[in-house]
Amino acid sequence: MNYRIFLAGHMFQTYHDCIKLLTYSASQSDYVVDIEGFEKNTPYSPLKNYILLKGSSKNIYSDIVIDFDDLVGSVGDDKTITVSPSTIEAEPAPDAVHYWKAMGVVFKIISDLSPAYITGYLLEKNMKKELEAFNSSLGRLPFAIQIAMNELMTDID
């Protein structure tokens, strides 16, 4: 399957780590990965990136918005899967633990990706709260995400 992923967030280091681990995991899972950055308009503008994961020769893409801090609001159409604190039922925290919960949801949505790289990174850095948040979201998808996934799957069939 192919994915177009738009990301936005404020916490620079955590955001950077999440993108790095996502793209590395995707490349190790035989996706062709293309990443693009957006210019910041002001010092307080969110960080924004666009990642294209191509895993098949079909020109059918699933759109995912990862809005780590509920910054961009409604983006895309009904077929866009939005992962944000409001859709994953997580409270944004100053220590950015909610970023890792969002990443767990993304790894659940894109089931080809191995969570081992993130798990290994968090263990190596002794980030226990972050690892717990990541692992907790690998189970059942939140209801809002399940609905979006069902909409997407009915359109592909």
Side-chain angles (χ1 to χ4, degrees):
M1 194 149 192
N2 302 319
Y3 298 92
R4 288 184 292 234
I5 305 171
F6 175 79
L7 300 99
H10 272 302
M11 312 282 191
F12 178 78
Q13 187 59 50
T14 306
Y15 181 86
H16 174 43
D17 292 343
C18 289
I19 288 179
K20 179 177 64 173
L21 291 163
L22 175 62
T23 56
Y24 183 75
S25 180
S27 69
Q28 295 301 307
S29 297
D30 295 331
Y31 280 96
V32 174
V33 178
D34 186 25
I35 185 167
E36 226 177 273
F38 292 89
E39 189 174 321
K40 287 179 64 110
N41 299 335
T42 69
Y44 301 105
S45 294
L47 302 162
K48 294 181 279 190
N49 288 88
Y50 176 76
I51 300 174
L52 185 69
L53 301 181
K54 187 140 176 89
S56 85
S57 60
K58 294 180 181 178
N59 272 338
I60 300 171
Y61 289 86
S62 297
D63 294 325
I64 301 172
V65 174
I66 307 172
D67 183 2
F68 289 112
D69 295 310
D70 272 331
L71 300 170
V72 293
S74 179
V75 176
D77 56 17
D78 294 343
K79 297 170 190 77
T80 302
I81 300 168
T82 302
V83 178
S84 66
S86 57
T87 61
I88 64 171
E89 301 156 7
E91 191 65 36
D95 59 359
V97 171
H98 62 285
Y99 277 50
W100 299 106
K101 186 167 184 147
M103 288 303 294
V105 170
V106 172
F107 274 66
K108 180 74 174 171
I109 293 168
I110 308 174
S111 58
D112 296 344
L113 300 181
S114 171
Y117 299 109
I118 289 185
T119 302
Y121 174 83
L122 296 174
L123 284 170
E124 182 180 302
K125 300 285 184 182
N126 199 25
M127 300 169 75
K128 293 176 184 166
K129 287 190 311 188
E130 292 82 351
L131 179 60
E132 184 179 319
F134 178 73
N135 286 336
S136 72
S137 58
L138 289 173
R140 185 185 62 83
L141 287 171
F143 188 65
I145 304 288
Q146 288 179 28
I147 290 173
M149 294 280 296
N150 286 339
E151 289 288 323
L152 182 68
M153 291 302 141
T154 55
D155 286 343
I156 291 175
D157 294 339

